Every structure is written in C-alpha cells, then in structure tokens.
Amino acid sequence: MKIDVDERVEGMCNKCKQEIEKNRCNRCGEEIKEEVQSINKSFDENKFKALAGDIDG
C-alpha cells in the first residue's frame, strides 16, 4: 500500500507535492500552522547561532 502512495507522489508536479506535505486538519482541510514557542523569553537565537559558529544565521 505504501508503494502505491509513493508511486502516486512521484507522478505529481512540485506544486502538488508541496501541497500534500502541508499539515492539514483531518476534518476541514485547513492548514495547521504551528506556533514556535520559546520556553525562555530572554533567549536570543541570533546570539546563540553566533556563539555556535553558524555563519549563515
């Protein structure tokens, strides 16, 4: 059964592949957007990346 699904996905264009990868409600189909919640409100992600050596960040 998994093979059938994989074969159908392979035959899709990139736009359709991206659409099926979205997290959607099982009932209404609306996209579920997850909120990023930080436990520590004073956490500075840019400073963390700089200290970690993340040049792109």
Side-chain angles (χ1 to χ4, degrees), residues 46 49-50 52-57:
N46 291 330
K49 287 180 178 181
D54 184 10
I55 298 171
D56 296 331

Side-chain angles (χ1 to χ4, degrees), residues 10-57:
E10 286 178 9
M12 292 181 180
C13 68
N14 288 334
K15 180 181 174 185
C16 290
K17 286 179 185 178
Q18 289 174 347
E19 189 65 28
I20 65 168
E21 290 176 357
K22 292 181 179 176
N23 191 13
R24 300 211 170 264
C25 172
N26 292 335
R27 185 169 180 267
C28 71
E30 185 175 334
E31 185 176 355
I32 300 171
K33 298 187 181 196
E34 297 180 19
E35 294 181 21
V36 177
Q37 296 180 352
S38 177
I39 296 172
N40 184 349
K41 301 291 182 189
S42 64
F43 179 75
D44 184 346
E45 187 172 354
N46 291 330
K47 186 175 181 179
F48 174 78
K49 287 180 178 181
L51 291 170
D54 184 10
I55 298 171
D56 296 331

